[in-house]
Amino acid sequence: MTEDTRSRAATVAGTVSAVLLGLVLIFSAWAKALDPEGFAQLIVERGLMPASLAFWAGVGMIAIEAALGIALVIGLRRPVVLVPAALMMFFFLGLSTWDYLYPAKEASSCGCFGNLIPSSPGQALVRDAVLFGLALLAFAGRPRQPAARWRFALAAAAAAAFGAFTLAAPSLPLDNLATRLKPGVTAASLRIDEIIPELQDGTRLVLLLDRADEATRAEIARVNEKLALARPDAVFGLARPDDALANEFQWTAGPAFEVRDAPQSMLKPFYRRLPRTFLVDGGTIAKVWEGIPGDDVLVALAEGRTP
């Protein structure tokens, strides 16, 4: 193999690796930007930063990730891009290695790809090892001549755009896009039927609850009055396991329906904020509401009608 052939092969390998890594970074930034509050919660849970700083740190990280992704895709393979990208992948690899060696008893799935692609510790470790390899390979055959300024400008614009979108995302109606819970999806595909097998038949309402939320507790009386007292089998609650909080919720909110425990790793891909409610008809998600639906929906279900 001649020197020119080796040089071309290195350039192709580096370019392809950079583009693949860039596309992954862009998708990762997009997935986290859809639910920045969930990403901030993950930062806190991992002990990386206090809650007071986690949200803004998350916004900054999403913006940087997007800028690096765009820069790699458009061929900006310069040390100012390649070194931060490699360090970021090394950091993620370190986190996934720790999670694999010391798995948490209960972990959120809102990680590298937000709520959209949950992964096990083993899957995350393999994925991050591959991405780190791409980050290193992206150095191969990198161009030596100065880069055009428009490439830097485009990367900076991507950072600004993703940062602005991330700040706006919590107030935008993006829940069906940002989560795995949406109309047309089956309860079986989400494994909800493993906890509530009754969802396979009939029409039932499921409330995703935060038992500690006072506003949610106040709403339970309305659910009882309009629906649960008449048809307790038509409504169920789902919440993360916490025996002490479950007892407190039962005494203070007094639900006339059953609230069942579900692991947070299952629940988090279903919401950005709680409460969130969905209607299951014959095992398929028919409708989804942010919050607890109005009296007309509850009364219709109590009367055996489909809202």
Side-chain angles (χ1 to χ4, degrees):
M1 183 181 294
T2 65
E3 185 66 29
D4 286 345
T5 302
R6 285 196 294 269
S7 177
R8 284 195 296 269
T11 299
V12 171
T15 300
V16 171
S17 297
V19 171
L20 290 176
L21 179 60
L23 292 174
V24 171
L25 288 175
I26 294 169
F27 178 74
S28 176
W30 164 254
K32 289 195 283 286
L34 290 171
D35 185 14
E37 293 174 344
F39 183 47
Q41 180 184 349
L42 180 65
I43 293 174
V44 175
E45 289 176 354
R46 288 179 177 269
L48 300 175
M49 197 162 292
S52 59
L53 301 176
F55 179 81
W56 293 105
V59 173
M61 185 173 178
I62 291 168
I64 292 171
E65 199 170 19
L68 292 176
I70 291 293
L72 290 170
V73 168
I74 63 175
L76 191 55
R77 290 195 298 135
R78 300 299 189 278
V80 70
V81 173
L82 295 174
V83 171
L87 290 175
M88 180 179 287
M89 293 305 100
F90 181 71
F91 176 70
F92 288 157
L93 179 59
L95 287 179
S96 59
T97 300
W98 179 269
D99 289 343
Y100 180 75
L101 296 176
Y102 306 99
K105 293 181 179 179
E106 182 54 70
S108 169
S109 62
C110 183
C112 186
F113 300 118
N115 290 324
L116 302 182
I117 306 180
S119 56
S120 68
Q123 291 170 333
L125 178 58
V126 172
R127 177 198 66 212
D128 290 341
V130 171
L131 294 178
F132 182 55
L134 290 176
L136 295 180
L137 195 55
F139 282 88
R142 66 180 182 85
R144 304 294 179 178
Q145 66 273 22
R149 292 183 179 180
W150 69 266
R151 299 178 191 268
F152 290 99
L154 185 57
F162 268 79
F165 175 76
T166 303
L167 291 174
S171 60
L172 298 176
L174 300 171
D175 292 80
N176 286 348
L177 181 63
T179 71
R180 299 177 63 207
L181 180 66
K182 60 197 72 177
V185 176
T186 64
S189 69
L190 300 176
R191 300 180 59 194
I192 305 173
D193 62 328
E194 297 177 10
I195 298 174
I196 312 177
E198 294 89 341
L199 297 180
Q200 293 296 345
D201 300 309
T203 303
R204 305 180 194 277
L205 196 70
V206 181
L207 312 179
L208 301 178
L209 301 171
D210 176 2
R211 289 180 169 123
D213 181 52
E214 293 296 335
T216 298
R217 294 183 182 187
E219 282 274 75
I220 298 302
R222 182 171 65 87
V223 177
N224 288 343
E225 177 187 356
K226 302 298 182 181
L227 173 57
L229 290 174
R231 290 190 61 200
D233 63 330
V235 56
F236 291 88
L238 279 178
R240 65 187 303 174
D242 188 320
D243 291 340
L245 194 56
N247 290 331
E248 181 185 344
F249 183 78
Q250 192 66 37
W251 282 103
T252 58
F257 54 92
E258 189 175 357
V259 180
R260 299 182 182 176
D261 290 342
Q264 180 66 2
S265 56
M266 172 185 285
L267 289 179
K268 187 60 188 78
F270 300 160
Y271 69 88
R272 294 194 300 170
R273 291 177 176 175
L274 294 175
R276 198 174 190 217
T277 308
F278 59 98
L279 184 71
V280 182
D281 187 5
T284 300
I285 312 300
K287 294 182 180 180
V288 183
W289 294 268
E290 312 313 320
I292 297 176
D295 291 352
D296 56 334
V297 173
L298 303 180
V299 170
L301 290 170
E303 295 174 351
R305 298 183 286 111
T306 301

